[in-house]
Amino acid sequence: MTLVAIGINHKTASVALREKVAFGPDILSDALRSLAAQTRTGEAVIVSTCNRTELYTNQVESEQLIHWLSQFHNLDEEELRSCLYMHTGQKAVQHLLRVSAGLDSLVLGEPQILGQIKKAFFDAREVGTIAHTLDRLFQHTFKVAKQIRTETEIGASAVSVAFAAVNLAKHIFDDLSRSRVMLVGAGETVELVARHLSEQGATDLIVANRTLARAEGMAAEFNGQAITLPQIPEHLHECDIVISSTASPLPILGKGMVENALKKRRQQAMLLVDIAVPRDIESEVADLENAYLYTVDDLQGIVQKNMKNRLQAAEQAELIAQQQSQEFVQWLRGLDSVATIKSFRTQSEELKRAALARALERLEQGADPEAVLNELANKLTNRLIHAPTQALSKAARQGDLDSLDLLRSALGINDN
């Protein structure tokens, strides 16, 4: 059996092309059925995210898949081919394991891709394009991804400024569900911070932004409260954590504003994380007692250190992926050997039944039993050794000593 994986990702194709090759929910079911029809086993899984589109199939030629993909999306085949990668057999298995573990992601070790691959598998199973081989492959993949997360530090360290800010808050306050957080700004970075906060259990959010409508949109998504920037002094004392990232050319939170908030808090500690350039929070805030100010430079240092840790963990993860891909291919080859042995036994049994039926027929006709037995033994022997004899002769004629030795070993031929 031959597993095949083809695809494009953020390393090989532009956003424009990735958008054209994507499979949205509205076309996924039809695409899976159409793709599965190209294979001899009817198996297919399509992984489609903003950073990659990949096809996983069994018993089909890579070229056929490329042609299908270009035809399905009405794209120029040569243009598509130049951005595609193709893997077969163990390389296909190892690629899927690497992708699931975040080793092929834009952010090394990010965990979201595993959930996306699980969804792709369950979507395919619901449509009916999962059979024994791909089911075993993806179940093996989920097990290995968990093993990599457990045995390495691939996902333990923050490698983005947004994630580092949230990790810092969690380290200081431990249980974020008990903390009130103010997010200043409503751009992509703050939105990412909000998502990380939500994943870490934070539920009490205030979103402050120059435009109230934008703040309301983000606050609604995370069940928070929206305010404008001028309203910050009214609410700052309520907050344990402040994370700010705006495009303002001047600081938004000054030393006096924070000092007043701390007085209202009766000097209860406040964490302030400024990930804006230029700064949103005056540097003098760090001089205040019970105000803990971290800047983007502090977080970048954390990120760089953590990235080194992830790179070391990635080496361990790569080794696990390689070993586990070999293990899966051995299982796959075992399926082939079982099928081959079954076919060989069936064929031998048919030869035996035919020869025995002929012998019994001759005995009923009164033929000499000894002659019948000799004929049975000769015919059965000739039929059983016919194919091996041809293979031995061919290997000898071609000087293929390796095949000759293998056949001698398989047939139990001993010169002694």
Side-chain angles (χ1 to χ4, degrees):
M1 296 183 182
T2 304
L3 292 167
V4 183
I6 72 167
I8 65 171
N9 62 20
H10 58 280
K11 299 175 185 176
T12 67
S14 65
V15 174
L17 182 57
R18 297 203 305 271
E19 288 175 343
K20 293 178 183 177
V21 181
F23 292 86
D26 55 326
I27 62 171
L28 182 60
S29 296
D30 289 341
L32 281 167
R33 294 188 187 96
S34 176
L35 177 58
Q38 308 298 309
T39 73
R40 290 195 289 276
T41 59
E43 295 183 272
V45 173
I46 297 175
V47 177
S48 186
T49 74
C50 58
N51 283 328
R52 70 178 66 246
T53 291
E54 295 182 341
L55 314 180
Y56 292 91
T57 59
N58 189 26
Q59 295 285 25
V60 66
E61 296 296 326
S62 300
E63 290 298 315
Q64 189 175 345
L65 291 183
I66 296 172
H67 180 70
W68 176 87
L69 186 59
S70 64
Q71 289 292 309
F72 190 89
H73 287 296
N74 196 26
L75 297 171
D76 180 80
E77 189 168 322
E78 291 308 312
E79 178 188 2
L80 182 61
R81 187 187 300 274
S82 67
C83 299
L84 282 171
Y85 44 84
M86 293 171 279
H87 303 290
T88 59
Q90 183 180 336
K91 292 294 184 182
V93 178
Q94 189 170 346
H95 175 74
L96 178 58
L97 296 182
R98 293 186 72 255
V99 171
S100 299
L103 295 173
D104 195 50
S105 296
L106 187 60
V107 177
L108 180 64
E110 60 92 6
Q112 287 81 10
I113 185 62
L114 178 59
Q116 292 166 333
I117 289 176
K118 285 183 176 180
K119 184 179 185 306
F121 168 75
F122 290 124
D123 285 341
R125 192 166 70 176
E126 186 175 344
V127 172
T129 61
I130 293 290
H132 186 54
T133 303
L134 287 192
D135 182 71
R136 182 65 177 260
L137 171 61
F138 278 83
Q139 297 296 347
H140 183 72
T141 296
F142 304 149
K143 183 193 75 172
V144 174
K146 182 178 180 180
Q147 178 187 353
I148 289 174
R149 292 277 164 187
T150 302
E151 297 182 8
T152 77
E153 297 293 316
I154 191 68
S157 306
V159 290
S160 73
V161 169
F163 195 24
V166 175
N167 268 17
L168 182 62
K170 187 178 181 184
H171 178 73
I172 293 174
F173 287 92
D174 189 30
D175 186 357
L176 293 183
S177 67
R178 297 181 179 180
S179 302
R180 170 165 277 200
V181 184
M182 178 181 287
L183 301 177
V184 183
E188 290 183 5
T189 302
V190 172
E191 184 175 357
L192 187 56
V193 168
R195 294 192 185 284
H196 289 317
L197 284 168
S198 179
E199 290 168 1
Q200 296 300 322
T203 57
D204 193 355
L205 302 181
I206 297 176
V207 181
N209 192 54
R210 192 174 306 279
T211 305
L212 183 60
R214 174 63 178 155
E216 287 174 338
M218 186 179 297
E221 183 176 354
F222 298 100
N223 197 28
Q225 176 185 356
I227 63 173
T228 62
L229 297 185
Q231 292 176 291
I232 289 177
E234 301 172 26
H235 298 274
L236 189 58
H237 68 282
E238 304 168 1
C239 302
D240 305 299
I241 302 164
V242 178
I243 302 176
S244 184
S245 178
T246 74
S248 174
L250 298 173
I252 293 172
L253 280 74
K255 181 180 178 181
M257 185 191 301
V258 176
E259 190 171 19
N260 289 335
L262 287 170
K263 287 179 181 178
K264 292 181 181 179
R265 289 172 62 82
R266 297 181 181 178
Q267 297 304 316
Q268 187 178 349
M270 180 185 292
L271 171 65
L272 300 104
V273 184
D274 187 355
I275 52 180
V277 179
R279 295 181 182 183
D280 281 342
I281 305 173
E282 287 183 349
S283 58
E284 290 80 7
V285 168
D287 299 331
L288 296 173
E289 189 175 356
N290 294 315
Y292 299 92
L293 175 62
Y294 289 82
T295 69
V296 69
D297 289 338
D298 298 322
L299 297 183
Q300 287 288 7
I302 295 172
V303 166
Q304 289 173 7
K305 180 181 177 181
N306 290 346
M307 181 55 78
K308 289 181 181 178
N309 293 339
R310 281 208 181 185
L311 287 171
Q312 292 175 350
E315 293 179 6
Q316 298 174 268
E318 292 282 7
L319 183 60
I320 293 173
Q322 181 180 6
Q323 293 171 340
Q324 290 294 336
S325 65
Q326 291 172 349
E327 181 179 310
F328 182 82
V329 168
Q330 287 173 358
W331 172 82
L332 202 58
R333 287 171 180 163
L335 285 185
D336 288 337
S337 68
V338 168
T340 301
I341 292 170
K342 184 177 179 181
S343 295
F344 180 63
R345 286 187 176 277
T346 300
Q347 180 178 299
S348 300
E349 285 291 331
E350 289 175 353
L351 289 175
K352 182 191 76 173
R353 283 197 295 270
L356 184 59
R358 170 62 179 163
L360 291 173
E361 182 182 351
R362 292 205 60 208
L363 286 174
E364 288 178 357
Q365 293 172 351
D368 178 49
E370 184 176 350
V372 170
L373 288 175
N374 281 328
E375 182 184 8
L376 172 64
N378 289 333
K379 284 189 175 181
L380 194 56
T381 299
N382 287 336
R383 289 181 179 179
L384 288 174
I385 69 172
H386 176 67
T389 300
Q390 285 189 320
L392 286 165
S393 298
K394 181 179 179 181
R397 288 196 307 272
Q398 295 178 347
D400 188 351
L401 299 182
D402 289 338
S403 294
L404 197 59
D405 287 342
L406 183 62
L407 286 165
R408 291 171 64 86
S409 176
L411 294 170
I413 298 175
N414 191 338
D415 291 335
N416 297 329

